Amino acid sequence: MANKNSDYSVIYSDDDIIVLNKRSGILIAADRYNPDAPRLDLLAEKEFGKLYAVHRIDKDTSGLIIYARTPEAHKNLSQQFEQRKVHKTYHALVYGHPMWEDLHVDLPLQPDGDARHRTVPSKRYGKPSVTDFHLIGTCGPYSWIEAKPLTGRTHQIRVHLQANNLSIVCDPLYSGNQKPVRLSEIKKKWNGDEYEERPLLSRLALHAYKIELTHPTTGETVSFTADYPKDMEATRNQLSKIFGVDPISE
């Protein structure tokens, strides 16, 4: 049920909640550093009326975002997030190959901790921040990683990976390497024109893939999955063909 614009598609909606799949590069709510940037909540309110934010994902991350449509649903969902009862799964494409299959990171983080408004690890000033990582598989110079954040700090997944010497592909804040993913660099017999080639992926390769929570009105456990956007899907397709590793072959 995609709507006409390219900023988001609707995964689910009822009288209490809406679940959207957003594009990379759009804010989900007001941002004090970037007051004029396009905002998902304002765009979606044109379609759904008043919305209440209950959680955040980074501007550069694509994927699942949930809004409440009533004050009651807002209160219920906010409590679920605060009490860590919501299960979130992200997929990331990183440079390099982790030496682990599973990694539990418990590292306090301080948002807005430096001049570039980055989140920094800080035992002294940081808030408790926990992420579980799982290596899905390696593909040439890259690896697909599943991340399950148990807390919701700004840039948490990105910083927890960076603290373990891994950076997400095309991360403008936490990676020194801004090289986009190009088919010519991963496919042995590539015979296109290198000057005409368009990168498969040239933005932060982090996608909010799945979320599971309790519906605020019915009390049922509900689970939603967001398809990869075109650029990430094209990358997944090619890497899967060449290296036989697919992050969403359930």
Side-chain angles (χ1 to χ4, degrees):
M1 186 166 84
N3 68 329
K4 317 240 181 332
N5 71 43
S6 57
D7 291 317
Y8 67 89
S9 57
V10 181
I11 294 173
Y12 174 82
S13 70
D14 62 24
D15 293 340
D16 304 290
I17 62 172
I18 63 164
V19 185
L20 305 179
N21 184 355
K22 86 170 188 76
R23 70 168 171 84
S24 167
I26 187 167
L27 291 166
I28 69 112
D31 176 277
R32 64 181 188 273
Y33 309 118
N34 212 340
D36 304 321
R39 275 173 49 185
L40 183 64
D41 55 347
L42 299 182
L43 291 165
E45 280 185 347
K46 291 176 186 164
E47 187 175 350
F48 293 99
K50 174 88 178 128
L51 298 175
Y52 304 84
V54 290
H55 70 127
R56 285 177 174 264
I57 63 174
D58 301 345
K59 173 171 81 76
D60 296 322
T61 304
S62 57
L64 275 168
I65 191 85
I66 292 182
Y67 291 101
R69 298 185 72 181
T70 66
E72 297 74 37
H74 177 238
K75 186 178 173 192
N76 178 298
L77 290 171
S78 297
Q79 284 173 340
Q80 287 188 55
F81 276 97
E82 275 165 33
Q83 295 162 4
R84 303 185 190 177
K85 290 180 175 170
V86 178
H87 301 289
K88 295 169 286 187
T89 303
Y90 288 73
H91 286 175
L93 187 67
V94 303
Y95 297 109
H97 303 152
M99 301 308 290
W100 41 262
E101 201 160 301
D102 292 286
L103 178 71
H104 176 78
V105 180
D106 185 343
L107 179 66
L109 298 178
Q110 179 191 1
D112 199 8
D114 71 6
R116 291 179 67 192
H117 304 303
R118 289 186 296 191
T119 296
V120 296
S122 170
K123 293 216 157 56
R124 191 169 174 191
Y125 300 109
K127 295 177 173 173
S129 308
V130 182
T131 316
D132 284 322
F133 294 101
H134 172 69
L135 173 65
I136 297 168
T138 59
C139 319
Y142 307 108
S143 299
W144 283 110
I145 285 179
E146 178 186 86
K148 296 191 170 188
L150 308 182
T151 47
R153 309 292 168 219
T154 304
H155 302 165
Q156 175 175 316
I157 292 169
R158 297 153 76 175
V159 184
H160 277 172
L161 282 170
Q162 186 199 36
N164 287 278
N165 303 312
L166 288 169
S167 59
I168 298 178
V169 167
C170 291
D171 186 336
L173 279 176
Y174 299 96
S175 164
N177 187 344
Q178 292 306 301
K179 239 168 86 171
V181 179
R182 293 181 190 277
L183 191 54
S184 57
E185 290 175 6
I186 47 179
K187 196 174 180 183
K188 286 205 174 78
K189 291 180 178 155
W190 185 80
N191 47 18
D193 180 335
E194 60 185 284
Y195 297 106
E196 294 290 312
E197 185 188 10
R198 294 181 58 185
L200 291 172
L201 187 75
S202 54
R203 55 90 179 175
L204 178 74
L206 180 61
H207 181 69
Y209 178 61
K210 189 176 177 188
I211 199 162
E212 189 178 290
L213 46 84
T214 303
H215 190 285
T217 310
T218 67
E220 286 175 79
T221 299
V222 287
S223 172
F224 304 102
T225 305
D227 292 342
Y228 282 15
K230 278 183 189 150
D231 52 2
M232 211 152 161
E233 181 60 23
T235 306
R236 177 183 81 87
N237 247 322
Q238 293 294 347
L239 291 175
S240 158
K241 270 186 215 159
I242 299 167
F243 301 103
V245 171
D246 186 349
I248 50 181
S249 58
E250 300 296 317

